[in-house]
Amino acid sequence: MTDEKKISCRNVWKLYGDDPAGFLASHNNKPTTQAIRDGNYIPAVRDATIDVHTGEILVIMGLSGSGKSTLVRCMSKLIDPTGGEIDFDGTDLLRASKEELIEIRRHKMGMVFQNFALLPHRNVIQNIAFPLEVQGINKEEREAKAREIIELVGLEGRDKYFPRELSGGQQQRVGLARSLAAEPDVWFLDEPFSALDPLIRKEMQNEFLRLQNMLHKTIVFITHDFDEAIRLADRIAIMFEGEIVQVGTAEELITNPATDYVAEFTRDIPRAKLLSVASLMQPTKKKKAGKLSVKASDRIASVASAVLMQPDDVTVLDDAGKICGELSRDQVAAILFDTETTSAGA
Amino acid sequence: MAGPVPATEQMPSRLNMMAPMIPFALLWLFKPLLPSWAIVPPKSCLGGCGTIEGLIPFVDWVNAGIQFLRSYEIFGLFTFRDITRSIARGIDVPLDFTEALLYKGFGAVGPMPWVMIVGLMIVFGLYLRGWRLALLGGGTFFYLSLFSLRGIWELSMKTLSAIAVSVPLAAIIGLLIGIAAAKRQRIAMVVAPMLNILQSLPHFSYLIIVAIFFGVGAKAGVIATVIFAFPPMTRLTMLGLREISSEVREAGIMAGCTRWQMLYKVEIPSARSALMLGVNQVIMQCLAMVVIASFIGQPGLGHDLLTRLQNLRLGQAFEIGVAVVLIAVTLDRFSQALVEKEPERIKDGPLWVRHPYLCAIALIIVGSIGLASLTEAAVQLPKEYTVSISSYLDAMIKFITTSLFTPLGILRDFLLVYVFMPTKATFQSMPWVAVMALIGCVGWKLGRWKLALTVMAFVFFIAASGYWVRAVITLYMVFVALCICAAIGIPLGIWAAKKDRRTKFVLGLCDTFQTFPSFIYLLPAVMLFQISDVSAIFAIVVYATIPITRYTIFGLRNVPSQIVEAALTSGCTERQMLWKVRMPMAFPEMLLGLNQTLMFALFMVMIAGFIGTVDLSQEIFRALSFNDGGKGLVIGLCVSLIGLTADRLLVEWSNQQKKRLGFAN
Ligand SMILES: Nc1ncnc2c1ncn2[C@@H]1O[C@H](COP(=O)(O)OP(=O)(O)OP(=O)(O)O)[C@@H](O)[C@H]1O
Ligand SMILES: [Mg+2]
């Protein structure tokens, strides 16, 4: 992950209604909530400003109807934003011609859909080769390429099956494979695992991480499942009624929620799994490590049982092995049992 | 929702229901006080009295339009008639081919031998579904060649060759219009009402117009058939394209499809089921129309059925009727199987494992050609092996009709004197302004001004066209038939909805009966009641009971299971369940059924004119024999508007009831 920007959205708006563009312009591109309501417009995305860095997994979260899908579809120009600017890898998407857009989609973007969106009349290999077929690549070449990807997603031997003959998880593997066929840089996934049952979902998340470790794509991933977000995300963006209310790592969101909404949203998260020792430790004057010492970068959950067995506070070491703080049993217990506590990071 | 509704609350709603009747009743009651123009529409004069019968000379206008089209030279180069002629010539090419393939032969090379056709049908049947379908296909064509003493084989081939040309043409035209309408809202706004009118115009209006521009004969028949059969394809194309999930569309765009790639690689294949259903309907419509197109000289089964029926050769007519029915069922089942056919995985192995059916087809073609070169019997079953049981049938029909003559005669006369005549007289005594007031008030009640003005405009057109008196007779027949249909169909539906097995049985019957071309129903009607209003109504009733039965079953069975369970747990008896829970919930569906029944009845009424009634249909037959396009079209529109008026009101009512019951859409 670098800080290089792959996609950058500036003040992106998407309003539904009679004359959204005119309305936006007449309000100086900053209509208030009240004005939007009075004008009878539906604000799907409001004033969204966000960057997606090369090689990162950005997860967009929010309740149903909060505008996640709309925002992602603006990034891929499946939906025309009402206002704002979107720069995709150096191209101004809002001013790109039809032909340019087709070129970008053929080579730089891939997308995975919640309900798989496979073409029912094509078998697995034809579905996967579809983006290549559209580009005009000949049959032999595209099917060879598709076979490689079939192996990558673990569907060997199923290449002549039709979608209706596959389970949900397998169908989504085809969906993943299809979106990878053209070797795009950017990968959009709109709730790709929501339609799967929990066990399969876990398995697919692992699969997804495995692929990403090999491929290093730039990823925008939508979900409304916080566990999934934590497992996958480098950064999480939280949306509420069309607005992006906070962007940050999972830990930042929990330890430092920007609004009550974010706090509410993250309340039921098992903190122990997420918070690092560093976010909880107190400064210490001790020079010598105690009986037990833990690393600052460890997650609380992984050291909890050891800490709770100790009568005393535990010393915390940084990556270099130097003492940087101490961790009290009470704090760990409070996190584990989710009682309210003012954590050190706050 | 607990507790009984207080009586005081119910009273006004009763009154409310009756309110639209009041102006109607008053106008009717005080008919003697009305001026004569308000009772029967005047035959007066816009632009030269005399020839025209109506208040507004629609007929003359249409005829003038037709005259203009026939003679006007576009860009001074060619006339509209030249265009129609070249279209007709264009039709000739494929028609010559299918005719040669099926019965004329290509000079030295003969037509397809019957063994080849039977063999191919068996293979198609196996491929599409299995043995039973194969048996149906093979059996049908075997029947056609076996019962060919009077040439049923050749007649069938004539009919089928017309169908083979019309179906692809109608399907493609329908598809293209459907695509255009699905893509452009503005086109859809023009196409949708056109389809409504096209689909409610009686068959004969098409025939008359086509006869004027294209003459008579096989190609005119094909053209009429194509125009008649394409609307369902357009409708289903629009529906199918609209129903593609937005995700699938987006997947196509994200793959980088151009507009054209999107259409033929994503949208059309994704809408496959709907499109195939469209093809199925096109086939059935084509068959129905090809049979009727015999009135403008389409050769084939329909033509012979018509003449035999006219000459009261019922045994022979019956044999042909069976052929038509068999062909109908075969075409329907095969195309239905095509709808359900999913693409199949190709197995690995040698050619005959990968493509077993293609190999079988090749084998049959080669084999039957070989067989045909050895013996003439493989080409066409020799006369001495063919049979006809028409003489036995004649005897049987004679026996039945003589033994039933008295009871049926009594029934017929009783119905005529005590039911039909009084109803007819009642209908005829209604002043047209009263009818218009009634329709307007009902329209206003259901949909305020917009609906009221629309339906009143429909009624006014009929009144002003000069065919009011005839239209009232049509209306009376449809009304009587509708009452009988409801009296049969609703109890039948209730009975059938009770048990799964009954439901399956009755729905199967409905499916089968609905595939028969409507023309066929005249056969038993004439057999039983000779030629009278009673036989016309009998034919209508048999045909039009299908939808009301079907919708009743559908409505009763689709009551949400929670509601049924809730009623059960609160201690409903079975009878209470039916009358207090299921029937009210099924009511909107039944209204739709009634609407369909009315449409069916209107179609059938027009065909029944052929066996002699004095309503609009007789006029349309007259128009057909005098080639009077204006009259044909205007009468057709009158019929269509009767249907559309009822359609608007009943569908709106049904929707409101559904909304009241909380059914989502
Ligand atoms: N075509 C449209 N016309 C009007 N409103 C729309 C349209 N598309 C979306 N909206 C509205 O925009 C808002 C955001 O929709 P969006 O689909 O982006 O939500 P989401 O966060 O993806 O929700 P979900 O989790 O249910 O997928 C919703 O309130 C929705 O009703
Ligand atoms: Mg969404």
Side-chain angles (χ1 to χ4, degrees):
Chain A
M1 174 179 157
T2 63
D3 280 347
E4 195 184 317
K5 290 169 192 164
K6 197 77 179 179
I7 308 173
S8 104
C9 303
R10 292 281 161 274
N11 311 98
V12 173
W13 285 84
K14 179 67 195 179
L15 299 175
Y16 287 104
D18 295 335
D19 174 26
F23 173 81
L24 199 62
S26 70
H27 285 77
N28 214 4
N29 290 333
K30 283 262 179 226
T32 59
T33 308
Q34 194 56 45
I36 293 172
R37 197 172 302 148
D38 293 344
N40 256 335
Y41 287 92
I42 301 173
V45 170
R46 304 193 224 193
D47 208 15
T49 297
I50 191 168
D51 294 324
V52 186
H53 304 297
T54 306
E56 80 167 333
I57 302 179
L58 174 71
V59 170
I60 302 182
M61 286 205 57
L63 298 177
S64 194
S66 57
K68 310 179 294 289
S69 299
T70 310
L71 178 60
V72 164
R73 278 165 177 70
C74 287
M75 290 182 185
S76 56
K77 198 78 189 308
L78 280 170
I79 291 177
D80 286 324
T82 314
E85 281 166 40
I86 298 175
D87 181 283
F88 183 94
D89 206 10
T91 313
D92 182 350
L93 271 198
L94 273 62
R95 277 169 206 83
S97 68
K98 268 200 184 114
E99 290 71 30
E100 275 178 282
L101 276 174
I102 287 181
E103 275 311 296
I104 290 179
R105 290 190 184 124
R106 283 185 177 177
H107 301 292
K108 294 189 174 174
M109 292 177 179
M111 184 151 178
V112 183
F113 300 88
Q114 179 171 0
N115 297 305
F116 323 136
L118 301 180
L119 299 173
H121 59 288
R122 290 169 169 255
N123 62 24
V124 167
I125 200 150
Q126 290 166 336
N127 257 298
I128 296 176
F130 179 67
L132 305 174
E133 180 184 329
V134 167
Q135 291 176 25
I137 293 172
N138 69 42
K139 189 167 160 154
E140 245 164 62
E141 207 174 311
R142 68 181 187 238
E143 298 210 336
K145 176 81 203 164
R147 284 221 166 73
E148 271 174 42
I149 301 172
I150 285 180
E151 240 162 79
L152 196 68
V153 298
L155 279 174
E156 301 91 338
R158 306 273 157 146
D159 47 353
K160 295 230 177 80
Y161 282 52
F162 283 90
R164 74 194 140 87
E165 300 174 299
L166 300 173
S167 71
Q170 288 169 333
Q171 290 192 36
Q172 194 58 301
R173 281 170 199 263
V174 179
L176 291 171
R178 175 179 64 185
S179 66
L180 292 173
E183 301 188 345
D185 310 335
V186 176
W187 207 10
F188 297 112
L189 302 100
D190 187 355
E191 304 198 27
F193 308 140
S194 299
L196 306 175
D197 57 51
L199 274 180
I200 309 284
R201 197 181 305 167
K202 252 308 166 17
E203 186 187 317
M204 292 298 286
Q205 287 164 0
N206 292 333
E207 190 71 29
F208 169 77
L209 285 174
R210 188 177 65 81
L211 286 172
Q212 171 64 353
N213 276 334
M214 289 160 57
L215 304 171
H216 308 292
K217 307 276 179 205
T218 303
I219 292 172
V220 181
F221 189 111
I222 298 182
T223 178
H224 52 234
D225 173 0
F226 215 119
D227 284 332
E228 186 166 78
I230 293 164
R231 291 195 62 183
L232 307 179
D234 291 317
R235 288 191 306 150
I236 298 175
I238 298 210
M239 291 190 72
F240 177 64
E241 295 188 350
E243 263 173 317
I244 298 177
V245 285
Q246 190 171 9
V247 187
T249 62
E251 208 172 341
E252 281 163 12
L253 296 182
I254 289 177
T255 54
N256 203 359
T259 65
D260 290 349
Y261 176 75
V262 177
E264 184 68 22
F265 207 85
T266 55
R267 203 217 303 279
D268 294 331
I269 307 307
R271 280 137 200 277
K273 276 201 216 148
L274 203 69
L275 297 184
S276 62
V277 171
S279 68
L280 220 58
M281 68 188 184
Q282 308 285 335
T284 181
K285 300 206 176 68
K286 285 190 194 150
K287 289 276 154 15
K288 226 179 86 200
K291 268 198 214 118
L292 179 72
S293 56
V294 297
K295 281 213 192 111
S297 57
D298 282 341
R299 303 278 149 198
I300 300 290
S302 63
V303 300
S305 63
V307 172
L308 291 179
M309 305 277 260
Q310 287 289 317
D312 312 315
D313 290 353
V314 176
T315 345
V316 181
L317 305 178
D318 65 11
D319 282 345
K322 288 216 310 236
I323 293 172
C324 56
E326 64 181 6
L327 190 62
S328 80
R329 299 174 67 223
D330 297 350
Q331 278 171 318
V332 172
I335 290 295
L336 272 185
F337 301 111
D338 251 356
T339 42
E340 282 298 321
T341 170
T342 44
S343 68
Chain B
M1 297 280 284
V5 183
T8 45
E9 254 177 57
Q10 248 173 10
M11 284 302 289
S13 88
R14 254 315 130 65
L15 252 179
N16 222 355
M17 287 280 291
M18 301 310 286
M21 307 284 282
I22 294 170
F24 169 67
L26 285 178
L27 280 169
W28 197 0
L29 215 59
F30 294 104
K31 185 175 152 191
L33 304 180
L34 293 179
S36 68
W37 61 261
I39 297 171
V40 175
K43 295 178 183 259
S44 124
C45 306
L46 273 181
C49 295
T51 54
I52 34 143
E53 297 177 39
L55 182 62
I56 303 171
F58 293 121
V59 174
D60 286 3
W61 292 351
V62 174
N63 276 334
I66 291 174
Q67 209 49 48
F68 175 76
L69 275 180
R70 288 173 78 152
S71 52
Y72 177 69
E73 298 195 346
I74 299 161
F75 308 127
L77 290 175
F78 44 82
T79 61
F80 188 72
R81 215 178 147 79
D82 291 332
I83 300 178
T84 59
R85 283 216 181 105
S86 48
I87 292 177
R89 266 197 297 278
I91 299 276
D92 257 346
V93 178
L95 199 58
D96 280 345
F97 176 74
T98 54
E99 282 174 349
L101 190 68
L102 290 174
Y103 67 96
K104 279 189 180 152
F106 304 85
V109 184
M112 280 166 87
W114 72 273
V115 283
M116 187 193 284
I117 297 185
V118 170
L120 289 180
M121 290 307 284
I122 292 177
V123 176
F124 287 147
L126 280 177
Y127 168 68
L128 288 174
R129 197 176 272 162
W131 269 112
R132 284 171 56 171
L133 194 65
L135 221 59
L136 174 69
T140 295
F141 282 85
F142 186 67
Y143 171 92
L144 295 180
S145 57
L146 187 65
F147 278 76
S148 204
L149 193 60
R150 291 204 172 74
I152 285 193
W153 178 264
E154 190 167 325
L155 292 178
S156 311
M157 291 303 131
K158 285 178 183 168
T159 297
L160 284 173
S161 85
I163 290 180
V165 175
S166 328
V167 168
L169 273 178
I172 291 172
I173 292 174
L175 179 75
L176 293 180
I177 298 178
I179 291 174
K183 294 274 165 197
R184 294 267 177 281
Q185 190 55 37
R186 218 171 294 154
I187 297 181
M189 269 160 56
V190 181
V191 167
M194 293 262 291
L195 290 182
N196 284 341
I197 291 183
L198 279 179
Q199 286 192 299
S200 53
L201 270 182
H203 303 75
F204 293 106
S205 299
Y206 291 91
L207 294 183
I208 294 166
I209 298 292
V210 167
I212 287 169
F213 286 107
F214 297 92
V216 293
K219 26 178 202 229
V222 166
I223 290 166
T225 304
V226 168
I227 303 175
F228 180 76
F230 87 86
M233 187 73 202
T234 300
R235 252 183 223 287
L236 280 157
T237 305
M238 289 165 72
L239 190 76
L241 291 183
R242 242 177 243 148
E243 278 185 348
I244 298 173
S245 84
S246 60
E247 281 195 350
V248 168
R249 249 179 240 282
E250 287 172 345
I253 300 174
M254 287 306 287
C257 284
T258 58
R259 271 238 297 270
W260 177 235
Q261 285 174 325
M262 197 63 195
L263 187 65
Y264 80 100
K265 289 193 184 218
V266 178
E267 291 175 331
I268 290 182
S270 299
R272 185 182 159 281
S273 297
L275 297 183
M276 283 300 169
L277 201 61
V279 171
N280 168 264
Q281 298 209 352
V282 165
I283 291 175
M284 298 327 285
Q285 294 280 72
C286 278
L287 180 63
M289 192 62 175
V290 160
V291 177
I292 291 175
S294 56
F295 282 97
I296 55 167
Q298 169 78 53
L301 291 169
H303 179 263
D304 279 50
L305 184 58
L306 183 73
T307 47
R308 306 273 147 93
L309 215 52
Q310 270 169 334
N311 303 335
L312 287 179
R313 303 224 161 189
L314 296 180
Q316 293 176 16
F318 192 86
E319 254 176 17
I320 299 178
V322 172
V324 173
V325 163
L326 279 176
I327 290 178
V329 173
T330 304
L331 289 178
D332 181 55
R333 295 296 135 89
F334 271 70
S335 49
Q336 289 241 334
L338 199 65
V339 177
E340 285 155 26
K341 183 79 189 160
E342 303 266 11
E344 254 172 42
R345 215 182 310 152
I346 296 170
K347 297 192 188 77
D348 289 326
L351 187 67
W352 59 87
V353 174
R354 274 179 291 148
H355 301 289
Y357 295 104
L358 280 183
C359 294
I361 287 172
L363 214 66
I364 282 174
I365 291 177
V366 173
S368 55
I369 289 175
L371 214 59
S373 65
L374 289 178
T375 159
E376 196 53 28
V379 181
Q380 192 163 20
L381 210 59
K383 274 270 185 275
E384 54 269 30
Y385 294 117
T386 59
V387 292
S388 167
I389 51 165
S390 62
S391 46
Y392 307 106
L393 281 172
D394 272 333
M396 209 166 78
I397 292 166
K398 196 157 182 198
F399 172 74
I400 295 175
T401 41
T402 44
S403 57
L404 288 182
F405 186 73
T406 327
L408 279 182
I410 292 172
L411 178 65
R412 189 185 65 199
D413 294 342
F414 171 81
L415 286 175
L416 273 176
V417 175
Y418 292 103
V419 182
F420 295 172
M421 293 303 179
T423 319
K424 194 174 183 175
T426 313
F427 267 77
Q428 283 172 328
S429 73
M430 291 189 283
W432 73 275
V433 282
V435 176
M436 194 140 142
L438 175 67
I439 296 288
C441 290
V442 174
W444 190 83
K445 176 124 185 25
L446 289 171
R448 302 297 127 167
W449 286 116
K450 195 164 164 230
L451 189 59
L453 288 178
T454 317
V455 288
M456 278 168 82
F458 289 173
V459 177
F460 183 75
F461 178 92
I462 300 173
S465 70
Y467 294 105
W468 178 261
V469 178
R470 302 266 180 179
V472 168
I473 301 179
T474 299
L475 207 59
Y476 126 78
M477 289 223 276
V478 169
F479 176 79
V480 172
L482 212 59
C483 292
I484 303 178
C485 287
I488 299 173
I490 294 176
L492 182 63
I494 293 175
W495 176 80
K498 269 206 187 115
K499 297 227 164 74
D500 285 351
R501 279 191 34 213
R502 291 181 195 168
T503 302
K504 210 171 151 212
F505 175 71
V506 172
L507 284 183
L509 271 187
C510 285
D511 281 343
T512 308
F513 276 109
Q514 205 174 338
T515 55
F516 302 169
S518 37
F519 202 58
I520 287 293
Y521 290 94
L522 295 184
L523 204 57
V526 174
M527 279 183 194
L528 294 175
F529 296 101
Q530 278 79 42
I531 286 178
S532 67
D533 274 14
V534 180
S535 50
I537 286 180
F538 175 83
I540 302 170
V541 166
V542 176
Y543 184 56
T545 305
I546 301 168
I548 182 73
T549 310
R550 190 196 288 282
Y551 278 79
T552 304
I553 296 178
F554 183 77
L556 288 174
R557 295 201 58 120
N558 271 26
V559 174
S561 58
Q562 298 111 305
I563 295 185
V564 174
E565 281 159 17
L568 274 180
T569 47
S570 53
C572 268
T573 63
E574 203 158 305
R575 173 173 280 270
Q576 285 171 326
M577 177 75 94
L578 178 65
W579 291 109
K580 301 211 179 249
V581 181
R582 284 191 192 267
M583 286 300 262
M585 297 291 282
F587 183 63
E589 235 20 90
M590 284 158 68
L591 281 178
L592 290 183
L594 214 56
N595 184 30
Q596 284 293 310
T597 289
L598 192 132
M599 287 290 177
F600 275 46
L602 269 178
F603 265 109
M604 200 61 197
V605 135
M606 299 317 286
I607 292 172
F610 166 65
I611 54 172
T613 50
V614 287
D615 63 332
L616 288 172
S617 59
Q618 200 196 32
E619 284 293 321
I620 217 167
F621 275 97
R622 209 174 283 163
L624 185 61
S625 43
F626 287 108
N627 238 346
D628 187 341
K631 200 165 162 183
L633 194 65
V634 170
I635 296 174
L637 277 176
C638 287
V639 176
S640 160
L641 289 176
I642 295 178
L644 288 178
T645 305
D647 179 76
R648 283 292 164 86
L649 297 177
L650 286 173
V651 170
E652 182 59 36
W653 190 10
S654 167
N655 283 343
Q656 288 183 7
Q657 291 294 319
K658 277 189 189 173
K659 221 177 263 165
R660 202 174 60 88
L661 290 171
F663 287 129
N665 233 335

